[in-house]
Amino acid sequence: MIVVMKMGSTAEQIEEVSTRLTEEGFKIHLSQGVERTIMGAIGDRTRLEALDLEALPWVEKVVPILAPYKLVSREFHPADSIIRIGDQEIGGNRVHVMAGPCAVESRAQILETAHAVREAGATFLRGGAFKPRTSPYSFQGLEEEGLRYLAEAREQTDLLVITEVIDARDVALVAEYADVLQIGARNMQNFILLKEAAKCGKPVLLKRGPSATLEEWMMAAEYIMDGGNYQVMFCERGIRTFESYTRNTLDLSMVPALHALSHLPVIIDPSHGTGKWHLVHPMAKAALAAGADGLIVEVHPHPEKAVSDGKQSLTPERFQVMMADLARLTSALDRELGEVSKCVK
């Protein structure tokens, strides 16, 4: 349920309500807006009746949240959440593009890609150091060596780093190097990993499972927020349908659906969503037109030599063309692309 405090409620009055709820076994989550404070209370609703909170003059109303997801819900947090990462903000008027290879293959490869996507206008560098693969014989990633290369690329370009963590035992290690932790589609309902990611203190990009419903996806985000980490972003990367031409079916209807139901930012992955490089550019534009807060795109200096996902990776030249097109589109949408504020070293 949510407890809506009246305008002008003091810190002491808010603390009194919080203390009453805590003493009755409720878990409290505060959402303080410009005008009002909303208090999310998770626990046994039958115990709320004895508290009679609406009798307090500084409580406006008590409203039950009927949806199974509470903290993720826009009922709990009516305003859009802004995720602050370094000097960047995701969820506001600026659109951010995260770009880089599927896998960190070598120091030279990731540095070359980082400089190229930075020059084209990306604000985040993506790249997998740990790679969950369908086949045990496929390239599994450089692990900590790859993380070090990503950190070096950040140092040289000032791009923020996003990379995937696939095991709860590696969360602390990945968090040491990365600015954003990605939970991949295969791990969307790896609840042990979600709980561990909640403790790391770093923003989390939560990808949708290939067969996950909207509610299941939102409940996975609820695990992270319930663990105390409110820095969560959804990432739609396509779902499995009967269509075989594309790698997945990119469900762009999730952008307005999530914005209606939740306050968290929405990122779109047109690379995994289509599996074909020539579809990435048009679907990226469609994603922004639908209201996405950002994109995560695969870029490789030599896609034909990539150890994974070469068919869906843009070359730096094609990425630059796409970014120029997105700049015009965001202007028409009365938005703007994010920028890296510092100078390249």
Side-chain angles (χ1 to χ4, degrees):
M1 66 211 72
I2 57 175
V3 180
V4 182
M5 305 295 291
K6 287 185 178 178
M7 290 180 60
S9 297
T10 66
E12 291 77 14
Q13 291 166 344
I14 294 169
E15 179 63 27
E16 179 181 343
V17 175
S18 178
T19 300
R20 287 194 184 193
L21 288 166
T22 302
E23 289 175 350
E24 287 297 320
F26 288 88
K27 186 181 291 186
I28 307 302
H29 301 267
L30 279 180
S31 175
Q32 294 181 302
V34 177
E35 297 183 348
R36 283 182 173 82
T37 294
I38 294 178
M39 191 178 301
I42 299 177
D44 184 359
R45 194 163 67 208
T46 61
R47 302 183 69 175
L48 189 67
E49 297 175 4
L51 293 175
D52 197 18
L53 293 178
E54 289 182 302
L56 295 173
W58 46 84
V59 172
E60 182 173 308
K61 58 183 175 180
V62 177
V63 183
I65 298 177
L66 300 179
Y69 40 84
K70 312 299 182 185
L71 305 176
V72 173
S73 170
R74 193 171 283 279
E75 291 179 84
F76 166 69
H77 193 292
D80 292 339
S81 282
I82 305 297
I83 310 298
R84 292 175 175 83
I85 310 167
D87 58 356
Q88 303 292 357
E89 293 184 348
I90 297 182
N93 193 52
R94 286 194 168 186
V95 174
H96 289 273
V97 178
M98 308 166 179
C102 172
V104 179
E105 300 167 9
S106 68
R107 177 177 180 272
Q109 172 242 20
I110 196 63
L111 291 179
E112 179 183 356
T113 307
H115 283 279
V117 300
R118 201 282 192 195
E119 183 179 353
T123 48
F124 289 75
L125 174 66
R126 62 145 294 155
F130 294 85
K131 294 302 301 175
R133 306 298 299 280
T134 303
S135 169
Y137 308 113
S138 299
F139 177 67
Q140 303 291 313
L142 297 178
E143 300 183 346
E144 188 170 6
E145 181 184 2
L147 293 174
R148 289 196 294 268
Y149 295 155
L150 287 167
E152 182 180 355
R154 175 178 54 211
E155 181 66 24
Q156 290 191 21
T157 64
D158 288 315
L159 292 170
L160 295 165
V161 168
I162 175 170
T163 191
E164 184 173 359
V165 59
I166 63 175
D167 193 306
R169 294 168 295 182
D170 295 323
V171 169
L173 173 66
V174 176
E176 184 180 335
Y177 290 93
D179 300 292
V180 181
L181 272 60
Q182 175 184 307
I183 304 293
R186 292 179 177 89
N187 275 315
M188 189 202 82
Q189 290 185 309
N190 182 339
F191 302 120
I192 301 300
L193 178 58
L194 297 179
K195 290 178 180 179
E196 200 62 33
K199 303 174 187 176
C200 75
K202 292 291 180 76
V204 175
L205 182 75
L206 179 64
K207 286 199 163 187
R208 183 185 186 184
S211 301
T213 64
L214 173 60
E215 183 173 303
E216 290 167 341
W217 190 13
M218 294 180 76
M219 290 302 292
E222 189 83 4
Y223 265 89
I224 301 171
M225 294 189 72
D226 186 54
N229 188 347
Y230 287 17
Q231 303 177 95
V232 182
M233 297 169 279
F234 290 110
C235 181
E236 165 62 41
R237 45 76 71 198
I239 54 175
R240 181 173 295 172
T241 68
F242 56 81
E243 182 53 65
S244 59
Y245 177 71
T246 51
R247 178 174 178 175
N248 295 291
T249 297
L250 187 58
D251 187 1
L252 292 183
S253 68
M254 286 297 99
V255 179
L258 283 167
H259 280 156
L261 296 172
S262 177
H263 52 93
L264 299 175
V266 183
I267 309 298
I268 296 295
D269 180 350
S271 300
H272 284 91
T274 63
K276 298 180 182 292
W277 70 263
H278 64 275
L279 299 179
V280 171
H281 185 160
M283 294 311 293
K285 291 193 293 183
L288 296 194
D293 299 293
L295 301 165
I296 184 165
V297 179
E298 292 191 349
V299 178
H300 195 290
H302 305 287
E304 71 282 359
K305 298 179 182 179
V307 298
S308 61
D309 289 354
K311 292 180 180 180
Q312 65 193 40
S313 298
L314 298 176
T315 62
E317 295 75 20
R318 287 170 178 149
F319 179 69
Q320 192 164 32
V321 170
M322 185 188 80
M323 290 298 291
D325 207 6
L326 294 182
R328 291 188 290 270
L329 176 59
T330 51
S331 178
L333 295 170
D334 199 25
R335 302 182 76 184
E336 58 183 345
L337 288 177
E339 296 178 348
V340 177
S341 58
K342 297 180 182 178
C343 296
V344 178
K345 298 176 177 63

